[in-house]
Amino acid sequence: MSDGSWSVYLSGEIHSDWREQIAAGIEQAGLPVELSAPVTDHAASDDAGAGTLGEESEAFWRDHKGAGVNAIRTQTLIRNADVVVVRFGDKYRQWNAAFDAGYAAGLGKPIVTLHDEEFVHALKEIDRAALATARSPDQVVNVLRYVVGQAAELGRTCPSRTET
C-alpha cells in the first residue's frame, strides 16, 4: 500500500482470542498494520463451497468445494501479506495452518510462528522456516513493533510496497 502500512495475515487456530490480543497490541502500539485472516466462523468456513456452489451428497465433494472456495481467499491474502503469523493451538491438529506456513514459505514471505513450548518438536520444520517463533500474542506484537516501528522511524514504507 502506498500509505506505508504493513499487511499481516493471521493464520491458524480459531478457538481462542489470540487474533484479538494481537489486534489490541497493534492498536495500543500505534503501528501502521492492517490485519487479515481466514474465515474464523467454523460453520461458515465449512459451508463455503456448498453455500456458493451448491450442495453435495458426499462429504468428500462438499469438503473439496469448501476448501477450494476458502483457498481463493486464503491464498490471495497470504500472497498480498508482508508478514504471515501462523498460530498452532492445543485443541486440534491444524493441517490448514501447516499448509498456510508452507505456502507462505514457498512465496518467500516472512513467517512468525506462535505456539506453546510443548509443540517445539512437532513443529520443528515449520519453526525452522519461520524467522521468529513466539510463545504469546504479546511476543508477536513485540516482533511487529520492532520491525514495523523501526521502518517507520527511518521514514521507510513497507519493503514490499516501495515504489521503484
Side-chain angles (χ1 to χ4, degrees), residues 74-94:
T74 301
Q75 290 179 13
T76 300
L77 292 172
I78 290 173
R79 197 176 307 112
N80 292 330
D82 299 305
V83 177
V84 176
V85 177
V86 185
R87 163 77 177 148
F88 293 91
D90 61 353
K91 277 190 150 187
Y92 304 99
R93 293 181 180 116
Q94 285 104 41

Side-chain angles (χ1 to χ4, degrees), residues 16-164:
S16 68
D17 68 346
W18 69 275
R19 286 181 179 85
E20 290 79 9
Q21 291 179 46
I22 290 173
I26 287 169
E27 184 176 345
Q28 184 177 16
L31 297 175
V33 171
E34 292 185 22
L35 299 174
S36 61
V39 173
T40 58
D41 178 312
H42 201 153
S45 177
D46 284 350
D47 292 341
T52 58
L53 300 172
E55 288 296 328
E56 287 291 339
S57 58
E58 294 181 42
F60 174 85
W61 293 114
R62 184 176 193 284
D63 287 347
H64 187 75
K65 280 184 177 180
V69 170
N70 280 316
I72 294 169
R73 175 187 175 87
T74 301
Q75 290 179 13
T76 300
L77 292 172
I78 290 173
R79 197 176 307 112
N80 292 330
D82 299 305
V83 177
V84 176
V85 177
V86 185
R87 163 77 177 148
F88 293 91
D90 61 353
K91 277 190 150 187
Y92 304 99
R93 293 181 180 116
Q94 285 104 41
W95 307 120
N96 58 327
F99 184 85
D100 288 354
Y103 185 70
L107 293 172
K109 299 293 180 175
I111 301 167
V112 177
T113 55
L114 172 59
H115 60 79
D116 294 337
E117 185 74 30
E118 68 184 282
F119 299 116
V120 168
H121 178 74
L123 296 172
K124 64 187 174 296
E125 288 83 5
I126 294 172
D127 284 344
R128 180 66 178 106
L131 298 179
T133 298
R135 298 286 177 254
S136 70
D138 287 339
Q139 288 182 338
V140 172
V141 173
N142 288 341
V143 169
L144 295 173
R145 183 182 291 120
Y146 176 80
V147 174
V148 176
Q150 290 298 316
E153 283 181 24
L154 295 172
R156 296 188 178 134
T157 59
C158 177
S160 68
R161 297 208 164 78
T162 56
E163 295 183 25
T164 55

